[in-house]
Amino acid sequence: MTGTVAAAGAALKSRAVPGDVLIVVPGPDGDGCVLLAPERVPGRGPGRVAAAEPVVVVVAMAQADLAAAGVAAVPGDMVQLTPAAAALAGPYDGTAPVVAELRRVGITVHDLPAPQTERPEAGAAPGPDALAVSVAAGAAPADSVAGGAAPADSVAGGAAPADSGLAGAAPADSGLAGAAPAVSLAAAAASALRALGSRPAVVLGAVDPPRLAAWHDLPGVLRGALGRWVRALGSRQVLLAAPRSFCAGVDRAVEIVERALDRAGAPVYVRRQIVHNAHVVHGLQARGAVFVQELDEVPAGATVVLAAHGVAPSVRDEAERRSLTVIDATCPLVAKVHREAKRFSAEGRRIVLVGHEEHEEVEGTVGEVPDRIHVVASADDVDTLEVVTDEPLAYLTQTTLAVDETVTVIDALRRRFPDIVGPAADDICYATQNRQDAVRSMAAGCDLVLVVGSDNSSNSQRLVEVARRQGCRAELVEDETELRLDWLAGVTCIGVTAGASAPEVIVRRLVDVLSCLGSVSVSEHRTAEERVHFALPPQVR
């Protein structure tokens, strides 16, 4: 036989044979169980799990065969087989949550090269993409379940069902029949999918597993990951907070770098991250932008873009000394805070800036009048603030703070310094406030809120805090690969939003991954409309 469907509990094999298949389905204990034979696929018999729920198919693979195909795997690694198998047995791209979980727990997962889908010429050796395994047709090893002593209810006992695609050589319609006596691992995976009918399946290859006869033969770390996947399965409602993702200031900053590249050509240098998002930065790097920490890394006379968070005047002075062509991408709302700092200082006031001292925006604002600004982050900081009491005071705020926490700090300032004055209009930007309002309104009806954004994004971190203050669990994810399956057990309603520096495409990818775990009903939870647009600087108009 070219492969066997391993029987649960069979202790006859000391080693799995390439092409052996183990099918993991949701079990009554919420962990995992093993399918005995294709005709027992849940959904095909009474009392079984709904057929729409995906399963995991684990196929034994030989390290040597993978090496011949250019995949440098070692025993204990896993291989993504779903795309290769789906090319032969029908599409299903639900691997992302499983593969991300496996990688998170330290299992190396390799991508399989695209399978050869056209029938090779007679006598031709299978190419690397065919991934041939050395299992002679009709001659399974004596110590395998196929060696004549398989349980009666397993496929290995006698011939495989005619529609399983596991009997004899590779199915003629696979395009791989000419590879006999070897059988393509992609075809073995496709056979498992055919046995499952139209049921969606994640197909993984296990590299040289010592056994593959039952659920408990899998390594504990793999069982744990697959168990979390099983418990994460289910139908869900997904609410998309609106507004979310890019604000006008971020749109403007990204467009400035793109236009500078179009006009000046690569490289265009950017001081610090243009916005605090890794995907945005990597995308611009791919186009030729070079991100630097300080201007001494920029060649004299080159073009440099100043990031959206703003800079201190000393940075502009250095750029002038080095004859750099400067394009200023500072957000207009941040520039407003800089102007207010200079105005209050000119009035003879000492300034209290509410914000996070290590944030680049705060560094830039402090740099406007460094001898006259004190930074506080909390009401406790206000209590310990040391200022000359006979000097008039004013306060300003970082633009990306949480609105409710900022109000608490400002109230503390007013209690301690009754004569303190503030800006004519709130410094917290419209986009920060709108995104927080949407999350605050949405979170009460959710089991979990997922915020798309980078760790160093202040406005994204504040969205997590806002959701948690509503009593809802909330997690920050850079992208869909950081979604943890253990967050999803028992969760039926998920709210999704994105910080003002996070691209909308990542939100869509996250929803796609959630849809791999069961049907999702997606709706938008909108609390405001945004029509703000900021003009570009003259150098790139």
Side-chain angles (χ1 to χ4, degrees):
M1 294 180 61
T2 59
T4 64
V5 175
L12 300 176
K13 291 197 294 184
S14 61
R15 189 165 190 84
V17 177
D20 280 0
V21 176
L22 186 71
I23 303 179
V24 182
V25 298
D29 60 354
D31 193 1
C33 65
V34 176
L35 187 68
L36 296 182
E39 62 268 22
R40 293 192 176 185
V41 174
R44 289 192 176 184
R48 297 297 188 178
V49 181
E53 243 177 42
V55 300
V56 167
V57 178
V58 183
V59 182
M61 307 182 75
Q63 180 184 8
D65 299 322
L66 288 165
V71 180
V74 299
D77 288 358
M78 303 294 290
V79 181
Q80 291 194 61
L81 280 167
T82 307
L88 301 173
Y92 176 66
D93 188 16
T95 58
V98 178
V99 169
E101 184 69 11
L102 294 177
R103 287 173 171 156
R104 190 185 68 79
V105 298
I107 296 176
T108 300
V109 183
H110 302 270
D111 293 321
L112 187 72
Q116 179 177 315
T117 55
E118 294 185 1
R119 182 187 180 112
E121 295 181 6
D129 289 344
L131 282 178
V133 297
S134 299
V135 181
D143 63 352
S144 78
V145 174
D153 61 356
S154 81
V155 173
D163 63 351
S164 73
L166 290 167
D173 63 353
S174 73
L176 295 160
V183 57
S184 162
L185 283 179
S191 297
L193 291 188
R194 287 193 185 91
L196 294 168
S198 60
R199 186 187 184 92
V202 174
V203 188
L204 300 171
V207 181
D208 281 349
R211 292 172 58 83
L212 198 61
W215 166 254
H216 292 291
D217 286 336
L218 296 175
V221 66
L222 177 57
R223 290 202 310 272
L226 294 182
R228 286 187 290 276
W229 175 78
V230 166
R231 291 188 288 275
L233 295 174
S235 299
R236 294 182 174 85
Q237 181 183 13
V238 174
L239 300 178
L240 300 179
R244 63 182 178 276
S245 193
F246 281 6
C247 63
V250 170
D251 271 331
R252 174 180 182 269
V254 173
E255 187 175 358
I256 285 171
V257 179
E258 291 174 339
R259 289 195 175 206
L261 286 165
D262 290 341
R263 297 191 179 196
V268 166
Y269 293 86
V270 185
R271 183 183 181 275
R272 310 285 175 90
Q273 290 187 341
I274 184 68
V275 296
H276 285 159
N277 186 268
H279 288 280
V280 172
V281 169
H282 293 158
L284 293 173
Q285 283 176 326
R287 293 194 55 179
V290 177
F291 291 86
V292 300
Q293 276 297 106
E294 300 298 344
L295 294 184
D296 59 10
E297 302 172 56
V298 181
T303 297
V304 63
V305 178
L306 304 181
H309 311 100
V311 299
S314 58
V315 175
R316 301 178 195 278
D317 293 343
E318 182 183 359
E320 186 175 355
R321 284 195 303 272
R322 304 191 66 244
S323 300
L324 302 178
T325 299
V326 173
I327 304 175
D328 191 357
T330 299
C331 173
L333 299 181
V334 173
K336 164 184 170 289
V337 178
H338 285 215
R339 292 192 299 272
E340 289 167 341
K342 290 186 288 186
R343 176 172 64 84
F344 283 140
S345 178
E347 293 173 357
R349 297 182 181 274
R350 192 164 290 275
I351 300 163
V352 180
L353 176 61
V354 182
H356 301 111
E357 196 163 12
E358 71 284 355
H359 195 277
E360 290 168 31
E361 179 186 328
V362 171
E363 291 176 0
T365 303
V366 169
E368 292 288 354
V369 283
D371 297 330
R372 301 196 62 77
I373 291 188
H374 306 268
V375 180
V376 298
S378 66
D380 290 341
D381 290 344
V382 173
D383 293 338
T384 59
L385 181 63
E386 296 182 2
V387 295
V388 179
T389 55
D390 60 351
E391 284 189 289
L393 294 176
Y395 71 83
L396 298 170
T397 72
Q398 182 180 330
T399 64
T400 56
L401 299 178
V403 177
D404 43 5
E405 280 198 341
T406 304
V407 168
T408 300
V409 179
I410 293 173
D411 287 345
L413 284 169
R414 286 173 171 157
R415 283 194 301 271
R416 185 174 172 194
F417 308 107
D419 294 330
I420 195 169
V421 299
D426 285 345
D427 288 334
I428 294 178
C429 87
Y430 78 95
T432 296
Q433 183 156 347
N434 286 346
R435 281 150 188 74
Q436 290 177 15
D437 288 346
V439 167
R440 189 178 295 107
S441 172
M442 177 183 70
C446 297
D447 302 313
L448 171 69
V449 169
L450 297 174
V451 178
V452 175
S454 293
D455 283 338
N456 63 339
S457 167
S458 175
N459 70 84
S460 299
Q461 293 280 8
R462 304 293 81 77
L463 291 174
V464 173
E465 294 169 1
V466 167
R468 289 174 179 171
R469 280 196 290 273
Q470 305 311 303
C472 183
R473 179 172 185 174
E475 302 292 348
L476 179 71
V477 294
E478 182 77 60
D479 53 37
E480 73 282 2
T481 66
E482 293 190 355
L483 177 68
R484 291 185 50 163
L485 296 180
D486 54 357
W487 297 341
L488 304 180
V491 170
T492 59
C493 183
I494 300 176
V496 178
T497 189
S501 53
E504 173 68 12
V505 65
I506 309 299
V507 173
R508 298 299 173 182
R509 280 162 39 185
L510 180 59
V511 174
D512 287 345
V513 167
L514 290 172
S515 69
C516 294
L517 299 166
S519 62
V520 295
S521 172
V522 182
S523 58
E524 193 168 69
H525 184 91
R526 179 169 291 279
T527 55
E529 297 286 345
E530 292 182 348
R531 297 182 176 86
V532 178
H533 176 76
F534 295 133
L536 295 171
Q539 300 99 314
V540 293
R541 285 178 191 163

